[in-house]
Amino acid sequence: MTFKLGILEVGRPPENLSKTFGDYPSMFETLLKEQGADWHYMSYPVVDGQLPQTVHDCDGWLITGSKHGVYDDLEWINRLKTFLKNAYDEHVPIVGICFGHQILAEALGGKAEKSDKGWGCGVFTYYVLENPSWVPEGLTSFSIEAYHQDQVTRLPEDGEVIASSDFCEFAAIDYKGRAFTLQGHPEFNKDYSVALFKERRGDTLPEDIADHAIASSDAPMQISEVAHMIVNFIQQAAVREKQEGH
């Protein structure tokens, strides 16, 4: 039976960019399929208030990035926190990216908020502190695009930091092998990132921040390594879920 990954769409690219680059669910599908994850992908427009009926509608869940903050008083955000807590309690594998990283931390008792360090935009390097079985052996750091003001500032009880940087202390979190979240954006390639930073320059992003982010996008990135990590995690978590009878 084909594994079914549900992508919880909580944000969208600017409309003019989506015509060229697609939406976030399609970016993730492309990213993971390039690592051999020939799964069945289903997208749920949570940002429009449409959540799955149950946490078992899919075999695993991935939460995208979003322009919203996890602290925004929106009905869909509150409902999503409850959904994720239930999915976690039921041992359904979860991956969270950026906003997804932050909202899972909140759902499980942690805290995410606007950071006093300001904008983190462009290519950032994160240093691996722990190597769960799904992290490639020998990987000591990885660089991917980032685009955020908010950060996880308090770790949930079940969370263990597995990658960090001076700018973002809780950059990647492992939740007992049942969930894996990242602050950075492995689904953002250079072309999309540059287009996005140009689009937001002088609007939501200060010009100097945008210019620095655009310049940084020439740096080497480990997109495929991080995508491989995600696929490995989901596969191992799904096997463990079946073995444990959840």
Side-chain angles (χ1 to χ4, degrees), residues 46-91:
V46 177
V47 69
D48 296 330
Q50 298 181 42
L51 272 79
Q53 290 188 334
T54 78
V55 300
H56 295 291
D57 283 5
C58 290
D59 303 308
W61 301 104
L62 185 150
I63 319 133
T64 72
S66 177
K67 69 178 182 180
H68 295 286
V70 297
Y71 41 75
D72 290 344
D73 188 19
L74 297 170
E75 183 185 358
W76 68 263
I77 289 179
N78 295 322
R79 289 175 60 207
L80 179 57
K81 288 178 183 176
T82 301
F83 178 89
L84 293 173
K85 176 66 165 63
N86 291 340
Y88 182 77
D89 288 345
E90 291 289 314
H91 291 241

Side-chain angles (χ1 to χ4, degrees), residues 9-28:
E9 183 188 28
V10 293
R12 296 190 174 107
E15 190 173 345
N16 59 318
L17 297 188
S18 65
K19 293 173 184 175
T20 302
F21 297 100
D23 58 16
Y24 293 139
S26 66
M27 288 183 194
F28 278 108

Side-chain angles (χ1 to χ4, degrees), residues 9 12 15 71 74 77 92-93 129 140 164 175 189 200 219 238:
E9 183 188 28
R12 296 190 174 107
E15 190 173 345
Y71 41 75
L74 297 170
I77 289 179
V92 183
L129 306 178
T140 58
S164 182
Y175 294 89
N189 61 28
R200 297 281 167 79

Side-chain angles (χ1 to χ4, degrees), residues 21-202:
F21 297 100
D23 58 16
Y24 293 139
S26 66
M27 288 183 194
F28 278 108
E29 183 173 346
T30 298
L31 177 75
L32 302 181
K33 279 186 173 178
E34 286 175 351
Q35 297 302 315
D38 191 21
W39 302 331
H40 181 58
Y41 294 82
M42 296 186 65
S43 176
Y44 297 82
V46 177
V47 69
D48 296 330
Q50 298 181 42
L51 272 79
Q53 290 188 334
T54 78
V55 300
H56 295 291
D57 283 5
C58 290
D59 303 308
W61 301 104
L62 185 150
I63 319 133
T64 72
S66 177
K67 69 178 182 180
H68 295 286
V70 297
Y71 41 75
D72 290 344
D73 188 19
L74 297 170
E75 183 185 358
W76 68 263
I77 289 179
N78 295 322
R79 289 175 60 207
L80 179 57
K81 288 178 183 176
T82 301
F83 178 89
L84 293 173
K85 176 66 165 63
N86 291 340
Y88 182 77
D89 288 345
E90 291 289 314
H91 291 241
V92 183
I94 302 170
V95 171
I97 303 296
C98 196
F99 176 94
H101 169 75
Q102 296 158 12
I103 197 168
L104 186 67
E106 285 261 340
L108 300 182
K111 181 75 173 174
E113 57 194 331
K114 215 170 239 50
S115 171
D116 57 12
K117 294 181 179 178
W119 284 104
C121 297
V123 176
F124 278 74
T125 298
Y126 304 104
Y127 295 92
V128 177
L129 306 178
E130 301 290 340
N131 286 85
S133 57
W134 33 270
V135 173
E137 190 174 349
L139 186 72
T140 58
S141 67
F142 57 87
S143 300
I144 54 175
E145 294 279 4
Y147 185 5
H148 64 106
Q149 271 185 299
D150 298 349
Q151 295 195 30
V152 174
T153 56
R154 187 178 73 238
L155 200 63
E157 184 179 348
D158 279 5
E160 180 181 22
V161 182
I162 61 171
S164 182
S165 72
D166 289 341
F167 183 81
C168 184
E169 182 182 3
F170 304 141
I173 304 173
D174 168 30
Y175 294 89
K176 298 184 178 297
R178 288 151 56 186
F180 167 46
T181 66
L182 283 164
Q183 180 56 67
H185 283 279
E187 79 282 16
F188 285 11
N189 61 28
K190 175 185 174 180
D191 290 346
Y192 175 71
S193 300
V194 169
L196 180 62
F197 294 135
K198 284 181 177 178
E199 176 78 14
R200 297 281 167 79
R201 184 181 186 273

